[in-house]
Amino acid sequence: MKYNALKGIHDIYPPDISLWQHIEKVAADIFTVFGFQEIRAPIIESTDIFVRSIGETTDIVEKEMYTFTDKGGRRITLRPEGTAPVVRCYVENYLYNLPSPQKYFYAGPMFRYERPQAGRFRQFFQIGAEAFGVAEPKIDAEILSMLKLLFERLGLRELCFQVNSIGCEQCRPGYRKALVSFFSDKLEGLCPDCTRRYELNPLRILDCKVDSCKRVRQDAPRVTEHLCSDCENHFGSLLSLLELLEVPHSINPDMVRGLDYYTRTTFEVTCEHLGAQNAVAAGGRYDRLVQEFGGPPIPAIGFAVGMERLVSLLKSSGEQNIPAPRTFIAVLGEDAGKQGLALANRLREQGIWTEIGYTGNSLKSQMRRADRLSAEYVLIIGDEEIASGNCKWKKLSDGSQGEIALSGVLAFFQ
RNA sequence: GUGAGUGUAGCUCAAUGGUCAGAGCACUGGACUGUGGCUCCAGUGGUUGGGGGUUCGAGUCCCCUCACUCACCCCA
């Protein structure tokens, strides 16, 4: 019987894994200098947590969640995103009593039951960050410049930073009304999906890809023109801070995020080389969620980076650094096999990556394997070497070789 | 959930309905009894995704099914 991984769920293994590790390391380093600390929230939570935060009528909650009942009859869901568990943790453990702001980052798998396509999987990894306790747009700008630095460090170019403000509970209802009245006499020009959106969530008509909908909405009211004065000031200062921090960006008033908890600032980082799923990172402010989860009214903002999308961009844009062993021990014969193994062990104890050949293989094939591994040195041990107490070394990059005492090998590599 | 496309060796791909389904790469060995890359030679590797049908004959045509891919939708 041959088994396959589940649809939309992929293994990650060498050589790709080194790229994943590299991204995770660079991200952790950058987040750390911005004062973010790692947080590890569970992968499964009560279903309710996601329903309440993401929104009952969103697609994620309505049809994309992996939900089951556990043996105790509890409704459980595999997290479809990372913010809700972090907020739950923040509130449950009274982390708002710690000095503000509290800033966290996380990395791990998320799950959504969707039809897989380029850049979209049922299990996908996100690296995300959340900052609690600052209402000022300063932190919004910091977060965006942190993302800019991350992508720069990873060597990514041609990214497009888009920002928007979708207002707050004060001004959004008014904007929604304005949209509804704008579209009320234009319904026949909209696609079937948008006529449904008109009822449920008219803001989503703004990011429909159908041409006729694009035409119909051309003169639709802009969210940025319907902000209350607080939101307008907030957005205005964010834009000027982005100038100050030299984060190139464009304002996209049609950008509507799919999660209900967002307020004010929303943003997306997209790349045209990604295909239909072109967002490599996205996020926004969620000033009401902590309170919604039973905490005090604490503002917050966060984002998530899509690992698979990032990996695919990095794979197509640069060459990978595949890690290589420092030395390869080629052995000829039983005794040499044993001595080589013992030597390998001593080298490894010193933190030197050592590979060893197996006596069944010819020297030629062992050399070939050392070459394929890109080992820096090969040590050759056979009967002659055991008898003389020396072994041969060869540097593969230039072919130079020589002899050293078996007892001096450790020093040779240090 | 809807639509389209593709399934042949580990990978990338050939093969008018007609001998035994091939090539390159990779892997193993040899040429070079103990020295990698380059070259040459050989070997390993296939239920042509699975099932049914048409036919003297199916990798090729038809039907069903499964898987994958892309797009819609949705989103990281």
Side-chain angles (χ1 to χ4, degrees):
Chain A
M1 187 59 199
K2 194 183 173 191
Y3 294 105
N4 300 317
L6 297 174
K7 184 194 275 286
I9 297 185
H10 299 295
D11 302 307
I12 306 159
Y13 48 88
D16 285 4
I17 194 72
S18 53
L19 188 49
W20 283 68
Q21 289 170 330
H22 175 243
I23 294 169
E24 285 161 5
K25 170 112 175 50
V26 169
D29 288 350
I30 287 171
F31 295 167
T32 299
V33 299
F34 277 80
F36 287 74
Q37 292 186 286
E38 188 175 358
I39 188 168
R40 297 192 185 182
I43 287 176
I44 60 176
E45 296 273 0
S46 295
T47 300
D48 211 34
I49 281 171
F50 300 112
V51 176
R52 284 291 293 282
S53 59
I54 298 168
E56 237 161 331
T57 63
T58 57
D59 276 37
I60 294 178
V61 166
E62 276 186 337
K63 45 194 188 196
E64 295 176 2
M65 295 206 302
Y66 279 91
T67 295
F68 63 96
T69 305
D70 75 4
K71 292 181 196 299
R74 289 170 277 256
R75 296 294 284 166
I76 308 285
T77 293
L78 274 68
R79 63 181 184 197
E81 61 105 33
T83 299
V86 172
V87 174
R88 193 226 80 233
C89 167
Y90 178 79
V91 173
E92 178 176 344
N93 297 293
Y94 308 102
L95 301 180
Y96 45 78
N97 286 333
L98 296 168
S100 181
Q102 286 295 307
K103 297 182 282 190
Y104 306 105
F105 75 88
Y106 59 84
M110 310 293 161
F111 303 85
R112 291 182 202 171
Y113 192 84
E114 298 183 273
R115 273 292 272 280
Q117 75 183 69
R120 192 174 76 182
F121 313 98
R122 290 188 172 176
Q123 181 189 74
F124 59 100
F125 287 74
Q126 291 187 336
I127 294 182
E130 317 286 348
F132 296 92
V134 182
E136 284 178 67
K138 217 183 270 176
I139 194 117
D140 308 37
E142 274 184 273
I143 278 192
L144 278 157
S145 72
M146 181 165 85
L147 271 174
K148 180 197 160 207
L149 183 62
L150 172 63
F151 293 130
E152 265 174 19
R153 279 293 154 79
L154 291 170
L156 275 188
R157 277 156 237 287
E158 298 180 60
L159 295 176
C160 176
F161 283 67
Q162 300 178 54
V163 296
N164 192 21
S165 174
I166 59 169
C168 62
E169 71 272 23
Q170 302 298 322
C171 46
R172 198 157 7 148
Y175 175 61
R176 194 188 148 115
K177 260 183 211 147
L179 268 187
V180 168
S181 76
F182 173 81
F183 284 114
S184 60
D185 59 349
K186 302 176 182 64
L187 289 179
E188 67 282 358
L190 296 174
C191 69
D193 282 323
C194 281
T195 53
R196 193 172 52 86
R197 291 178 180 125
Y198 177 79
E199 303 292 337
L200 284 174
N201 190 352
L203 272 71
R204 294 218 67 95
I205 298 173
L206 297 176
D207 64 0
C208 181
K209 290 175 190 164
V210 176
D211 283 336
S212 58
C213 297
K214 285 181 182 168
R215 276 196 303 276
V216 169
R217 71 168 182 248
Q218 224 159 30
D219 301 315
R222 294 290 157 106
V223 63
T224 40
E225 288 155 10
H226 282 73
L227 298 176
C228 62
S229 59
D230 282 351
C231 286
E232 199 180 341
N233 290 337
H234 189 276
F235 192 46
S237 335
L238 169 61
L239 296 178
S240 67
L241 290 170
L242 290 178
E243 299 291 334
L244 175 76
L245 297 177
E246 294 174 344
V247 179
H249 60 278
S250 59
I251 300 166
N252 180 0
D254 291 339
M255 186 178 64
V256 179
R257 309 283 321 138
L259 291 75
D260 280 359
Y261 54 63
Y262 285 122
T263 53
R264 291 191 169 169
T265 310
T266 58
F267 54 89
E268 257 182 39
V269 184
T270 57
C271 181
E272 57 180 5
H273 303 302
L274 270 176
Q277 313 295 320
N278 65 351
V280 68
R285 186 167 268 287
Y286 48 95
D287 289 341
R288 300 194 30 91
L289 193 55
V290 173
Q291 196 167 24
E292 191 82 17
F293 271 38
I298 286 181
I301 180 169
F303 68 82
V305 179
M307 276 295 278
E308 288 82 356
R309 295 178 189 180
L310 193 49
V311 167
S312 87
L313 286 176
L314 255 30
K315 272 170 82 171
S316 60
S317 79
E319 53 277 16
Q320 306 202 39
N321 244 345
I322 294 163
R326 190 80 197 289
T327 185
F328 183 101
I329 299 177
V331 294
L332 291 156
E334 275 296 304
D335 288 346
K338 286 179 188 162
Q339 298 239 8
L341 190 58
L343 178 59
N345 220 35
R346 289 200 295 280
L347 287 163
R348 289 164 173 169
E349 280 166 1
Q350 297 306 310
I352 294 159
W353 179 0
T354 305
E355 293 291 333
I356 189 163
Y358 296 94
T359 42
N361 291 346
S362 67
L363 179 60
K364 188 182 191 65
S365 76
Q366 293 185 66
M367 291 296 291
R368 189 160 47 224
R369 189 167 151 241
D371 184 57
R372 301 274 154 92
L373 289 166
S374 300
E376 192 180 351
Y377 286 92
V378 176
L379 297 177
I380 300 168
I381 303 178
D383 294 338
E384 295 170 23
E385 285 75 17
I386 291 172
S388 68
N390 290 330
C391 74
K392 301 219 169 77
W393 61 264
K394 179 166 188 173
K395 189 173 186 181
L396 288 185
S397 54
D398 60 10
S400 61
Q401 48 189 319
E403 248 183 59
I404 53 169
L406 277 166
S407 55
V409 168
L410 279 185
F412 183 82
F413 284 105
Q414 277 164 352

